[in-house]
Amino acid sequence: MAKNGASCEQPQKRGTKDKQNGHFADSAVSERRQKDREERLALVLWRRPIVTLNYFLLETFITLKEWTLKLWQRRGTVFLILVLCSLFSLAYSTEGAHQKYVQYLEKRFLWCAYWVGLGILSSVGLGTGLHTFLLYLGPHIASVTLAAYECGSTDFPEPPYPDQIICPEGGVEGSISLWSIVSKVRLEACMWGAGTAIGELPPYFMARAARASGADPDDEDYEEFEEMLEQAQTAQDFVTRAKLGVQNMVQKVGFFGILACASIPNPLFDLAGITCGHFLVPFWTFFGATLIGKAIVKMHIQKLFVIITFSKHIVEQMVSLIGSLPRVGPSIQKPFSEYLEAQRSKLHHHTGAGTPATENWLSWVFEKVVLVMVCYFIFSIINSMAQSYAKRRQQSKCLGTQTTKN
C-alpha cells in the first residue's frame, strides 16, 4: 500500500536526512508515471477501438459540461453576444439600402473566419495539427499566382472569385508584378497567420495556470518541459539542446526573442508558449510578439516563397526538367502538362461557354491526400481526448489510494 501511495505523489525536494528515502520515492513516482504514460499512449483507435471510442465520448461529455459551467459563470457576456447577434440577424433580414453593406460585412467576416479557423487547426494542441498551409492556403496562393500570370491581372470577377478564378476582360500578359499578387492574397494569409497565433495560446495558459497554482500540470508537454529544466546541465542530444536554446532565448530576450521564434518556421514554438507561461511572461508580450511574427513576418516569407515557386517561368522550367528525366521523364511530364493546360482553360472559361477539360489524375490524387490527412487529424483528436479521460481515471485511482492509506 505504501508503494502505491508513493507512486501517486509528486517528486519533492527533501533534506539530507531523508535523502535516500526521497530518492527511492522519486524513482518509484517516475517509474509509475512512465508506466501510466505508456498505457495512455497505447490507447488508440487501431489498437483498442471500443475502449477508445467509449473514453472519447465520456471525455466529450465532461468537456461540454465544463464549458457549459464556464459559460454560465459568464452569462452576462454570453447575453450581450446573443443580443448583438439578434440585432445583426434583424438587420440582415430587413430589406433596405443597408443590405449591400450587411452582405459585404457577412462575406468578409465568413472569409476571414474561414482562414482564422484553418490557422487555429494548424497549430492548436489536439494531438497533431492539421497542415492547413500545405492543404489549403498554399494551393490557394499557388492558384492565384498561376492565374495572375495567365490573365495578366489580379482583378478577378467577384463572384465567382474566390470560389472560382476566371480571367477578367482586358488583361495584358506580362503586366503582372510580384507585389500585386502579394496584395491579392494578403488578407487570407494574415488571417491564417493570426489563427496560428491564437492556436499557440493553450500551452501558454496551461503552463501559466500550473505555475501560478503550483498544481500538477495535466499536460505531457509541460511535464517534459519540467524534466528538461531539471536535466539542463547534462543535456547532450541535439533536440534537447535546441529546446533549451529556444527556452533561453525566450526567457532572456523577452519580446524580441518570442518575435524571432514566431517569425520563422519553428516546430519547437510550442515550447516557447510553455516557457512564457512557466516564467509568467505577460499575456500581451507573448501574444503580441506571436501575432506580429506569425501573421506579418512569417506569412510574408511563406507567401513570397510560394509565389516565386509558382511563377510562370519557374513552373515551365520545372515541367521541362521533369521531361528531361531519363526513361520515365516524358510519361511523368504528360499529366503535369495536361493539368496546367486544363487550369489555363478554366481561367478563360465564362458562363455559358461549356465545361472545359475533364478531371486530371493529379487533382484526384491531391483530393485523396487531403481526405486522408483530414481523417488522420480526426483520429488524432479522438485518441487525444480518450487519453485525457484515461489520465482522469489514473488520477482518480491515485486519489482513492491516498484516501484509503490515510
Side-chain angles (χ1 to χ4, degrees):
M1 181 68 71
K3 183 178 179 181
N4 292 337
S7 67
C8 296
E9 297 173 357
Q10 293 295 310
Q12 297 177 355
K13 294 182 180 179
R14 296 171 174 84
T16 307
K17 187 181 293 184
D18 298 330
K19 188 175 181 180
Q20 292 182 344
N21 293 335
H23 178 73
F24 174 77
D26 288 351
S27 299
V29 170
S30 298
E31 291 176 1
R32 180 62 184 178
R33 291 174 69 179
Q34 182 63 28
K35 183 179 178 182
D36 289 344
R37 184 179 301 175
E38 291 174 356
E39 290 178 358
R40 292 196 300 272
L41 293 177
L43 190 64
V44 290
L45 276 171
W46 42 90
R47 291 182 181 176
R48 303 171 64 189
I50 304 300
V51 177
T52 303
L53 287 173
N54 183 35
Y55 281 14
F56 164 72
L57 293 174
L58 292 171
E59 180 68 15
T60 301
F61 176 76
I62 292 172
T63 304
L64 290 175
K65 182 180 178 181
E66 291 174 349
W67 286 356
T68 302
L69 291 174
K70 289 179 181 179
L71 290 175
W72 177 252
Q73 292 171 356
R74 296 168 175 80
R75 50 188 177 273
T77 304
V78 174
F79 177 75
L80 179 61
I81 293 174
L82 290 175
V83 170
L84 292 176
C85 290
S86 300
L87 292 175
F88 183 81
S89 177
L90 182 63
Y92 184 80
S93 58
T94 304
E95 295 293 336
H98 65 284
Q99 277 296 318
K100 61 180 180 180
Y101 303 107
V102 172
Q103 292 175 2
Y104 175 81
L105 290 175
E106 178 194 24
K107 181 181 177 181
R108 285 295 179 184
F109 174 78
L110 293 177
W111 184 239
C112 293
Y114 173 76
W115 290 109
V116 169
L118 288 177
I120 293 173
L121 289 177
S122 182
S123 62
V124 73
L126 291 172
T128 182
L130 182 65
H131 301 290
T132 52
F133 182 85
L134 295 177
L135 297 178
Y136 297 99
L137 182 58
H140 173 72
I141 297 174
S143 63
V144 170
T145 302
L146 292 172
Y149 280 106
E150 175 66 21
C151 303
S153 172
T154 58
D155 297 326
F156 310 125
E158 298 185 36
Y161 182 82
D163 298 323
Q164 180 185 358
I165 301 177
I166 296 176
C167 287
E169 298 292 339
V172 180
E173 186 176 356
S175 63
I176 198 69
S177 68
L178 176 69
W179 298 112
S180 61
I181 303 175
V182 169
S183 300
K184 186 66 176 180
V185 296
R186 180 177 290 122
L187 177 63
E188 44 267 53
C190 289
M191 290 298 103
W192 185 88
T196 62
I198 294 171
E200 300 293 352
L201 292 179
Y204 169 82
F205 284 124
M206 173 273 303
R208 186 180 179 90
R211 178 65 184 272
S213 65
D216 178 29
D218 186 20
D219 186 85
E220 306 288 351
D221 292 334
Y222 189 73
E223 292 174 2
E224 293 178 3
F225 171 75
E226 289 195 323
E227 292 174 2
M228 184 189 70
L229 291 181
E230 294 173 0
Q231 302 170 0
Q233 301 300 325
T234 59
Q236 298 295 330
D237 60 290
F238 174 77
V239 175
T240 303
R241 290 201 302 269
K243 290 180 178 180
L244 286 170
V246 172
Q247 181 256 324
N248 289 331
M249 177 183 290
V250 170
Q251 183 182 359
K252 294 179 180 179
V253 184
F255 179 91
F256 293 102
I258 302 168
L259 179 63
C261 290
S263 298
I264 57 174
N266 185 359
L268 302 177
F269 191 79
D270 277 350
L271 187 66
I274 294 174
T275 301
C276 291
H278 179 79
F279 292 105
L280 303 179
V281 173
F283 170 77
W284 286 111
T285 300
F286 170 72
F287 185 66
T290 303
L291 185 64
I292 294 171
K294 285 184 171 290
I296 299 177
V297 181
K298 181 182 175 182
M299 277 317 307
H300 276 81
I301 295 173
Q302 291 178 300
K303 273 192 300 182
L304 288 172
F305 175 79
V306 175
I307 292 170
I308 293 172
T309 302
F310 285 89
S311 59
K312 186 175 182 180
H313 64 284
I314 292 182
V315 171
E316 290 175 350
Q317 288 177 3
M318 287 192 294
V319 173
S320 177
L321 183 62
I322 291 173
S324 64
L325 293 175
R327 296 184 181 179
V328 297
S331 59
I332 298 177
Q333 184 188 40
K334 183 178 179 181
F336 279 96
S337 300
E338 291 177 350
Y339 177 76
L340 291 174
E341 188 59 37
Q343 297 307 307
R344 291 191 182 99
S345 299
K346 288 181 181 179
L347 293 173
H348 296 286
H349 168 68
H350 295 270
T351 305
T355 303
T358 58
E359 183 182 30
N360 184 274
W361 70 269
L362 287 175
S363 301
W364 183 88
V365 169
F366 182 75
E367 289 175 1
K368 298 304 177 284
V369 169
V370 171
L371 180 61
V372 169
M373 294 186 71
V374 170
C375 290
Y376 178 75
F377 178 66
I378 294 172
F379 290 161
S380 70
I381 293 175
I382 295 174
N383 293 336
S384 179
M385 294 186 69
Q387 291 165 10
S388 296
Y389 184 77
K391 187 166 187 176
R392 290 180 190 269
R393 285 173 57 89
Q394 291 170 350
Q395 291 173 341
S396 299
K397 185 178 180 181
C398 284
L399 292 174
T401 302
Q402 291 176 0
T403 303
T404 303
K405 179 182 175 182
N406 294 334

